[in-house]
């Protein structure tokens, strides 16, 4: 059309219809796929054995400004609730103390996952070639920043408003002392960002998000609310609204490589490894946080696990990907066995190492013991009687001179750490599936607790070289390690961690620990 | 009562549960230090909310300066390359966590601003269209410049946007990572705003093409954006050092080429051609430019250039990088000069003297804000002359 005709047409159009016109997000988004162009060096900086298709679409079709609008609406609602009514009713002081302690760990550890997901999805934004697929990952980059800030907000809120700020106020500094931290880094940090880009996507989106954020983010809100905590549901459910988009990204990742030959060779192995990696930590840790970190129970963890991990994820979600050749992981059956006892095994160890935490732990009460026995027959004979013995020896009392870790030593039950998952296990005293395997490589001994991790290590030992806490602390006295890791409250002498949450119970100090003279040793050296 | 509660009973409101909880809650808080991250050194007098919510969220070991964790990575890349490492950049820092967005924007504040901009954009476009402003745009300006060249400039913004992906993956600090993602999102927002303007015009001006085909042709094959395209491609995909990506994009390329094209070409000229629409969008881009400048200036000048231990070395490295990227940026701008031959000249506005004055402004700004702080010696008059040699 000639230029002058176009101007005339614009004038005529206006005369005929002067209705206001704007531009919608979808009208812009439909051009996104054409925003890129071909050039020599246009390739990802992160290698992957898969090839992601150039024409991959995304489901959510957001542009930057529309993304911001949607998120800010959710923010207003969420922060409005927290800052207004929940503060006025003093909600943080109406949470059961045991749950107040659990949120120190849950929110901070989830924050690590969210934080690393920023970098992980940055990598995927780089690896994808289709602009729409890049855009999907970009949206997730921003979401994960949001979630990092939101998780932080929980600790920030509990510190400012709640009953025990210690740990909430410095989790980012004190979390590195204890036995749960390195394993958390494997699943939530390095597992998302270090490896083949698609393998990382499988870890983050296909397993971490699609499989475990349901139990983690949704189930946690039910446990929280039962225990008086309305802050966590307010924030976590708002996080969950973004997660749908992330699971869709994971789905699209698989779709984008489905026609690639490499997928038929490697995809199921990568999925199996990712599933085992994630479940190895989350199955016991989530179960432990829920059941042992609460007073009021929602349902036995094994039921939640079967419903969400085994049936919904292993069955339905993976089933939907069946047409792309994806199969249920082979390790799912072993994981199912672990879902029954692994969290009980882990709590025994976590409680025994309580001084290295940044939270207070509690022994199961009589009514809890009854609940465990009813839901996990055989619980008392294995665990309950040990807790009774520890309690009788005064493990909660600072003047007793007794730390439960001594019980493991006295009874010759060494605690090892699995090199690949970094999860501690006690092969001679457990009901879960862990068995001890020791291998030597480059003059160094490595312990493993299961065949799946051992296989990963055997094929690529250079990926799993991280020293564990026993190697790191070997020969050092416990109170020294705690002081160095800033495990003290603001009075400079009382521990942040405590072996009870009793209102009138005495609090342990660094001197109480020092008197016991507990020195770390590396169990691998004794082999 | 039983400890298993189902049916969604809530401890805050269920009297029976609440009674048990309240009996267990300590009479007074156990800890008096109520400030999260109390141990950190704030940028200002007090630790602000942005610092609470962002700082030290990154779990880096202490051998990456600033980190609070210890030990090795628990899983590495195939072959053993670490998750994050000091070797990912030539820059040195005594604290990779020191950077702050000067506006202290954490996610909620960032999206709140952008959401407001979007709502206002929508209202503005409705008023603009109903008012019939579009009739006043010079047809050549509208169809050639906005149709083709503004569209082509969208690819520049899109390419620079993509240069942030590996920065978001590789950089060594939490505030750095968040800032990089945000300034990256602003760049794709710019590209999308350009497309939004073209789609909007196509709704008002029958026959105005909203397709990206011609702009892409211009961007990939045309002479006007040749230098810019090659520059952007190399920042995006040929550069692996995440600091160099940010430095070349935000300390050299965009404050010179991007500033000239946006501010001195599209924004300044548009009103002379009866176009009051483009300035609306470019003004938003300029807001993002100034916010980004605050961020990258903090990264490179306030933190790296002034680092107690490595400041001298870092400034020397930045000067070396400037030597590498400045000539290419000047060349991109020289190619861009060919655009003036495509528009009707307006005396004192788009003639040679006016172009020269515009170039002088851009280079003077760049010298003051970007070259002088790293003690980079530059003859801006010579650069202006080189650029002007591209005028047809
Ligand atoms: Fe998330
Ligand atoms: Fe996510």
């Amino acid at each position: 059309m000639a230029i002058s005709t176009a101007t005339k047409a614009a004038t005529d159009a206006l005369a005929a219809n002067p209705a206001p016109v704007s531009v919608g997000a979808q009208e812009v988004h439909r051009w996104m796929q054409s925003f890129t162009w071909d050039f020599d060096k246009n390739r990802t900086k992160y290698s992957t054995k898969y090839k992601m298709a150039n024409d991959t679409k995304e489901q959510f079709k957001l542009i930057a400004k529309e993304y911001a609008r949607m998120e800010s609406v959710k923010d207003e609602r969420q922060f409005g609730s927290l800052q207004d009514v929940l503060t006025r009713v003093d909600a943080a002081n109406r949470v059961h103390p045991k749950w107040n302690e659990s949120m120190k760990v849950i929110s901070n550890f989830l924050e690590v996952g969210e934080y690393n997901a920023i970098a992980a999805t940055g990598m995927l934004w780089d690896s994808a070639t289709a602009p729409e697929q890049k855009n999907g990952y970009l949206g997730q980059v921003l979401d994960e920043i949001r979630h990092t800030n939101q998780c932080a907000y929980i600790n920030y809120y509990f510190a400012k408003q709640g009953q025990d700020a210690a740990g909430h106020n410095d989790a980012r500094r004190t979390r590195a002392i204890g036995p749960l931290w390195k394993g958390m880094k494997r699943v939530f940090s390095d597992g998302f960002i270090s490896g083949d880009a698609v393998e990382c996507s499988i870890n983050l989106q296909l397993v971490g998000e699609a499989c475990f954020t349901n139990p983690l983010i949704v189930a946690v809100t039910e446990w929280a609310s039962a225990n008086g905590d309305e802050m966590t549901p307010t924030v976590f459910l708002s996080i969950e609204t973004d997660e749908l988009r992330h699971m869709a990204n994971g789905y699209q990742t698989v779709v984008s490589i489905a026609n690639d030959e490499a997928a038929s060779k490697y995809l199921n192995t990568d999925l199996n490894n990712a599933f085992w990696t994630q479940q190895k930590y989350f199955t016991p840790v989530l179960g432990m946080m829920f059941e042992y970190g609460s007073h009021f129970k929602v349902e036995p963890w094994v039921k939640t696990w079967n419903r969400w991990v085994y049936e919904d994820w292993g069955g339905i979600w993976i089933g939907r990907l069946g047409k792309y050749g994806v199969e249920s992981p082979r390790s799912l059956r072993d994981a199912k066995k672990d879902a029954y006892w692994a969290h009980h095994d882990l709590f025994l160890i976590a409680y025994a190492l309580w001084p290295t935490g940044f939270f207070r732990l509690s022994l199961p009460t009589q009514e809890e013991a009854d609940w465990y026995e009813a839901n996990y027959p055989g619980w008392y004979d294995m665990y309950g009687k040990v807790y009774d013995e520890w309690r009788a020896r005064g493990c909660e009392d600072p003047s007793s001179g007794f730390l439960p870790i001594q019980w493991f030593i006295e009874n010759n039950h060494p605690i090892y750490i699995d090199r690949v998952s970094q999860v501690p296990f006690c092969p001679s005293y457990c009901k879960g599936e862990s068995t001890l395997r020791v291998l030597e490589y480059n003059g160094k001994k490595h312990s493993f607790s299961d065949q799946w991790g051992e296989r990963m290590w055997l094929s690529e030992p250079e990926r799993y070289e991280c020293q564990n806490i026993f190697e790191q602390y070997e020969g050092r006295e416990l109170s020294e390690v705690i002081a160095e890791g800033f495990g003290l409250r603001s009075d400079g002498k009382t521990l942040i961690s405590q072996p009870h949450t009793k209102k009138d119970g005495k609090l342990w100090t660094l001197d109480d620990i020092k008197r016991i003279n507990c020195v770390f040793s590396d169990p691998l050296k004794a082999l | 009562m039983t400890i298993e509660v189902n049916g969604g009973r809530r401890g805050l409101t269920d009297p029976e549960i609440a009674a048990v909880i309240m009996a267990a809650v300590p009479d007074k808080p156990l800890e008096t230090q109520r400030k999260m991250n109390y141990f950190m050194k704030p940028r200002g007098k007090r630790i602000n909310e942005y610092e609470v919510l962002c700082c030290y969220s990154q779990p880096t070991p202490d051998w990456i300066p600033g980190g609070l964790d210890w030990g090795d990575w628990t899983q590495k890349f195939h072959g053993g390359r670490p998750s994050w490492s000091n070797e990912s950049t030539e820059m040195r820092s005594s604290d990779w966590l020191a950077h702050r967005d000067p506006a202290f924007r954490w996610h909620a504040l960032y999206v709140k601003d952008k959401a407001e901009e979007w709502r206002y954009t929508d209202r503005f476009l409705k008023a603009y269209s109903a008012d019939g402003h579009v009739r006043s745009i010079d047809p050549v300006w509208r169809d050639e410049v906005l149709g083709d060249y503004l569209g082509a400039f969208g690819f520049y913004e899109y390419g620079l946007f993509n240069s942030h992906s590996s920065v978001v993956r590789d950089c060594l600090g939490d505030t750095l990572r968040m800032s990089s993602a945000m300034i990256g999102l602003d760049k794709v927002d710019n590209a999308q705003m350009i497309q939004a303007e073209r789609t909007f015009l196509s709704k008002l001006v029958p026959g105005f093409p909203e397709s990206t085909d011609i702009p892409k042709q211009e961007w990939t094959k045309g002479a006007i954006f040749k230098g810019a395209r090659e520059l952007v491609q190399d920042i995006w995909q040929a550069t692996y050092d995440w600091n160099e990506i940010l430095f070349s994009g935000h300390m050299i390329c965009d404050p010179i080429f991007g500033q000239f094209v946006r501010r001195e070409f599209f924004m300044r000229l548009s009103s002379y051609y009866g176009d009051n629409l483009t300035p609306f969008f470019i003004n938003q881009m300029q807001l993002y430019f100034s916010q980004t400048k605050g961020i990258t200036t903090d990264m490179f000048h306030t933190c790296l250039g002034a680092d107690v231990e490595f400041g001298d070395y870092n400034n020397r490295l930045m000067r070396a990088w400037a030597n590498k990227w400045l000539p290419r940026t000047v060349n991109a701008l020289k190619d861009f000069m060919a655009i003036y031959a495509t528009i009707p000249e307006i005396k004192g506005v788009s003639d040679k003297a006016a172009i020269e004055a515009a170039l002088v402004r851009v280079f003077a700004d760049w010298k003051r804000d970007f070259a002088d702080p790293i003690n980079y010696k530059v003859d801006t008059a010579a650069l202006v002359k080189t650029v002007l040699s591209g005028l047809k």
Side-chain angles (χ1 to χ4, degrees):
Chain A
M1 195 180 304
I3 280 162
S4 54
T5 347
T7 305
K8 184 176 179 308
T11 309
D12 294 347
L14 184 75
N17 179 20
V21 171
S22 183
V23 178
Q26 299 297 308
E27 293 174 291
V28 178
H29 184 277
R30 71 192 182 93
W31 297 103
M32 277 295 293
Q33 202 74 319
S34 69
F35 277 17
T36 197
W37 68 97
D38 287 332
F39 56 99
D40 279 357
K41 296 162 192 153
N42 196 356
R43 49 167 159 52
T44 180
K45 293 170 187 165
Y46 310 95
S47 54
T48 164
K49 52 192 176 292
Y50 304 97
K51 190 170 169 3
M52 291 156 115
N54 287 330
D55 55 355
T56 308
K57 297 269 202 318
E58 58 160 339
Q59 215 179 316
F60 287 89
K61 305 191 182 308
L62 292 174
I63 61 170
K65 282 188 159 58
E66 179 63 11
Y67 167 80
R69 189 194 62 78
M70 284 174 47
E71 299 304 322
S72 80
V73 168
K74 293 192 263 183
D75 285 345
E76 275 168 30
R77 219 177 288 153
Q78 172 199 207
F79 292 116
S81 307
L82 287 167
Q83 287 154 5
D84 189 70
V85 68
L86 288 173
T87 300
R88 263 187 293 127
V89 303
D90 197 20
N93 287 311
R94 294 169 175 275
V95 173
H96 196 283
K98 285 178 75 173
W99 189 257
N100 177 72
E101 299 307 302
S102 294
M103 287 315 297
K104 291 176 183 174
V105 190
I106 293 175
S107 214
N108 181 265
F109 281 16
L110 182 59
E111 176 191 288
V112 176
E114 304 292 358
Y115 179 77
N116 280 275
I118 307 170
T121 44
M123 171 159 75
L124 289 165
W125 156 18
D126 196 277
S127 331
T129 52
E132 278 203 26
Q133 198 177 8
K134 281 180 185 291
N135 198 52
Y137 293 135
L138 167 73
Q140 187 169 351
V141 166
L142 270 293
D143 284 345
E144 306 299 9
I145 296 178
R146 177 173 191 255
H147 303 168
T148 303
N149 289 164
Q150 283 171 295
C151 288
Y153 206 93
I154 287 285
N155 291 126
Y156 171 49
Y157 191 93
F158 273 90
K160 195 156 89 180
Q161 314 273 357
Q163 47 195 290
D164 184 16
H168 281 300
N169 62 11
D170 57 3
R172 287 165 181 165
R173 187 169 69 164
T174 53
R175 62 194 177 188
I177 310 174
L180 300 176
W181 171 246
K182 289 283 176 201
M184 205 286 317
K185 282 189 81 175
R186 169 83 198 300
V187 287
F188 256 4
S189 172
D190 301 330
F192 290 170
I193 62 171
S194 303
D196 177 299
V198 171
E199 176 200 353
C200 289
S201 161
I202 292 170
N203 257 289
L204 167 64
Q205 292 156 332
L206 214 56
V207 183
E209 293 176 324
C211 181
F212 284 102
T213 57
N214 265 335
L216 182 56
I217 298 181
V218 182
V220 83
T221 64
E222 292 167 7
W223 287 80
S225 149
N227 287 280
D229 170 13
E230 291 298 330
M231 281 64 69
T232 300
T234 303
V235 172
F236 280 28
L237 291 174
S238 187
I239 291 179
E240 186 65 9
T241 59
D242 298 321
E243 292 298 336
L244 290 176
R245 204 162 38 223
H246 307 173
M247 294 176 210
N249 278 343
Y251 192 84
Q252 288 308 116
T253 307
V254 172
V255 174
S256 79
I257 59 164
N259 291 322
D260 180 31
E261 213 187 310
S264 58
K265 283 193 215 152
Y266 309 118
L267 184 56
N268 283 314
T269 305
D270 276 351
L271 176 65
N272 186 56
N273 286 342
F275 173 72
W276 188 260
T277 296
Q278 298 292 322
Q279 88 80 27
K280 177 76 187 173
Y281 187 80
F282 282 127
T283 298
V285 171
L286 284 176
M288 176 177 91
M289 295 315 305
F290 291 169
E291 292 188 353
Y292 290 90
S294 63
H295 176 77
F296 291 105
K297 319 295 179 199
V298 174
E299 69 173 0
W301 166 239
V302 63
K303 271 196 198 167
T304 316
W305 196 96
N306 278 335
R307 192 171 60 245
W308 269 335
V309 178
Y310 196 74
E311 289 165 18
D312 280 9
W313 184 80
I316 301 168
W317 180 258
I318 293 299
R320 279 178 61 196
L321 288 165
K323 55 177 180 277
Y324 303 112
V326 176
E327 295 159 9
S328 246
R330 280 165 297 147
S331 58
L332 190 59
R333 282 186 48 192
D334 285 355
K336 193 173 184 328
K337 286 190 233 158
D338 250 7
Y340 203 84
W341 292 117
H343 63 295
H344 301 295
D345 288 336
L346 187 62
F347 184 72
L348 201 70
I349 294 171
Y351 189 85
L353 289 168
W354 71 261
T356 60
F358 56 101
F359 39 79
R360 296 174 292 150
L361 291 176
S362 317
L363 288 175
T365 58
Q366 186 55 50
E367 48 189 347
E368 285 178 308
D370 294 344
W371 185 83
Y372 288 125
E373 189 60 33
N375 288 292
Y376 302 94
W379 179 87
Y380 182 81
D381 277 348
M382 182 72 181
Y383 311 100
K385 65 174 195 210
V386 176
Y387 294 129
D388 281 351
E389 183 186 336
W390 292 355
R391 187 183 278 115
R393 291 178 68 176
C395 71
E396 295 168 318
D397 178 4
S399 60
S400 68
F402 175 67
L403 290 173
I405 189 68
Q406 291 167 277
W407 178 91
F408 279 88
I409 298 164
E410 291 161 10
N411 290 283
N412 196 23
H413 290 310
I415 297 169
Y416 297 90
I417 292 186
D418 177 51
R419 178 72 70 201
V420 175
S421 69
Q422 293 278 342
V423 173
F425 66 107
C426 176
S428 58
Y429 202 84
C430 69
K431 275 175 93 76
E433 293 299 301
S434 299
T435 50
L436 178 65
R437 299 129 196 271
V438 179
L439 293 167
E440 242 181 88
Y441 179 68
N442 279 348
K444 197 175 159 184
K445 284 194 181 115
H446 304 271
S447 47
F448 305 91
S449 58
D450 60 77
Q451 59 151 328
W452 303 103
E454 186 185 13
R455 283 185 194 193
M456 284 184 243
W457 184 86
L458 280 170
S459 50
E460 296 176 293
E462 67 281 0
R463 293 183 78 184
Y464 312 103
E465 297 172 313
C466 186
Q467 67 274 52
N468 62 49
I469 56 167
F470 295 138
E471 289 163 334
Q472 176 75 13
Y473 299 154
E474 219 226 328
R476 303 201 53 199
E477 189 270 317
L478 178 58
S479 73
E480 235 177 77
V481 168
I482 296 169
E484 190 179 274
F486 304 99
L488 295 179
R489 291 169 181 260
S490 60
D491 65 4
K493 51 180 206 268
T494 309
L495 299 193
I496 296 173
S497 59
Q498 295 292 331
H500 64 80
T501 47
K502 289 179 178 158
K503 208 170 171 169
D504 43 11
K506 283 215 188 81
L507 298 181
W508 289 62
T509 63
L510 201 63
D511 286 342
D512 297 325
I513 299 288
K514 196 178 270 170
R515 270 202 310 277
I516 298 173
N517 191 29
C518 177
V519 176
F520 281 95
S521 67
D522 176 6
L524 285 174
K525 289 254 168 89
L527 291 176
Chain B
M1 69 171 295
T2 153
I3 55 168
E4 183 164 323
V5 297
N6 5 62
R9 287 170 73 188
R10 314 186 86 89
L12 186 65
T13 50
D14 184 302
E16 212 187 348
I17 302 179
V20 175
I21 293 175
M22 290 319 286
V25 170
D27 301 330
K28 63 175 186 23
L30 296 182
E31 171 60 58
T32 52
Q33 176 50 268
R34 315 288 295 250
K35 185 78 176 174
M36 179 159 152
N37 271 8
Y38 63 87
F39 53 84
M40 68 172 286
K41 187 171 172 288
R43 178 59 73 85
K45 273 209 190 84
R46 276 183 209 91
I47 301 169
N48 61 41
E49 203 159 73
Y50 160 85
E51 291 175 314
V52 166
L53 298 178
C54 304
C55 294
Y56 297 103
S57 54
Q58 174 167 292
T60 26
D62 48 12
W63 48 268
I64 291 179
L68 299 176
D69 196 0
W70 54 264
D72 204 349
W73 303 107
T74 56
Q75 176 181 312
K76 300 176 193 177
F77 283 94
H78 301 281
R81 187 157 59 87
S83 296
W84 283 311
S85 61
N86 291 315
E87 298 77 35
S88 61
T89 178
E90 288 294 315
M91 284 280 179
R92 294 290 169 259
S93 172
S94 52
D95 182 4
W96 283 113
L97 308 179
H99 161 68
R100 301 288 183 269
D101 174 350
F104 300 128
R105 290 175 308 169
W106 50 289
H107 185 278
L109 304 189
Y110 175 82
V111 294
K112 185 171 190 288
D113 285 353
K114 206 179 266 306
E116 283 166 6
E117 285 143 19
W118 184 216
R119 290 193 184 96
Y120 183 59
T121 299
D122 183 56
R123 292 194 290 271
F124 169 83
L125 294 181
K126 284 175 180 153
Y128 180 96
S129 58
D131 212 15
H133 276 315
V134 76
R135 291 168 298 184
S136 66
I137 306 182
D138 176 276
V140 175
W141 177 264
R142 183 190 65 211
D143 296 355
E144 303 274 322
V145 178
L146 302 184
D148 303 359
Y149 303 120
L150 180 63
F153 183 65
F155 290 90
Y156 163 87
E157 297 286 357
Y158 185 74
L160 280 188
F161 150 67
N162 275 316
S163 75
H164 294 81
S165 54
S166 65
V167 178
V168 169
R169 165 59 189 79
D170 292 341
C171 72
L172 295 176
D174 34 39
T175 44
L176 290 171
R177 180 161 282 103
M178 295 178 192
S179 284
S180 301
M182 288 172 185
I183 63 181
L185 190 78
D186 286 343
K187 281 298 188 195
V188 81
D189 192 0
N190 287 357
Q192 289 164 345
M193 279 195 285
I194 287 172
Q195 186 56 28
E197 177 176 349
R198 297 178 68 257
T199 294
F200 180 67
L201 281 171
S202 78
K203 289 179 162 186
L204 302 181
V205 184
F208 184 92
E210 74 176 303
S211 161
T212 49
D213 288 353
I214 296 169
K216 193 190 254 184
Q217 188 74 13
E218 190 61 54
W219 172 254
T220 52
K221 305 267 164 29
I224 291 174
F225 286 105
K226 183 171 179 289
R229 177 172 51 79
E230 289 166 356
L231 175 61
V232 166
Q233 287 171 182
D234 280 358
I235 294 172
W236 169 11
Q237 287 293 42
T239 310
Y240 279 68
D241 181 321
W242 54 273
N243 268 310
E244 188 179 354
I245 293 170
L246 290 172
F247 184 85
S248 56
H250 293 293
M251 307 303 271
I252 311 276
C253 166
D254 209 45
I256 297 174
F257 181 83
Q259 275 301 77
F260 184 88
V261 175
R262 286 187 303 262
R263 191 182 77 192
E264 301 295 340
F265 184 78
F266 286 112
M267 184 132 85
R268 194 175 80 83
L269 297 194
S270 50
S271 56
Y272 288 104
Y273 294 93
D275 168 15
N276 299 309
L277 176 64
T278 306
F280 177 81
F281 288 106
I282 301 278
N283 269 313
Q284 293 191 45
M285 299 179 205
Q286 292 308 96
L287 168 66
Y288 298 154
F289 174 80
S290 87
Q291 289 169 333
T292 299
K293 183 176 161 190
I295 283 172
T296 53
T297 300
D298 185 85
M299 291 172 178
F300 290 104
H301 299 165
T302 312
C303 296
L304 292 169
D307 191 284
V308 281
E309 207 174 330
F310 303 105
D312 289 346
Y313 164 83
N314 288 337
N315 283 317
R316 194 147 53 90
L317 182 60
M318 284 189 264
R319 292 194 291 272
W321 281 345
N323 277 336
K324 174 176 169 189
W325 293 99
L326 183 60
R328 313 186 57 175
T329 304
V330 167
N331 182 54
L333 207 44
K334 182 178 146 199
D335 284 355
F336 184 74
M337 290 297 114
I339 200 168
Y340 288 97
T342 68
I343 52 171
E345 188 182 283
I346 302 177
K347 275 277 160 256
V349 173
S350 57
D351 57 12
K352 190 176 177 185
I355 298 167
E356 183 168 3
L359 285 169
V360 167
R361 280 195 291 277
V362 167
F363 279 105
D365 290 355
W366 181 76
K367 182 179 178 303
R368 183 194 63 223
D369 296 340
F370 296 92
D372 292 348
I374 58 167
N375 205 12
Y376 185 72
K377 300 285 171 254
V378 60
D379 177 357
T380 56
L383 298 178
V384 169
K385 206 170 148 209
T386 308
V387 173
L388 280 174
S389 71
L391 269 184
K392 298 269 182 296

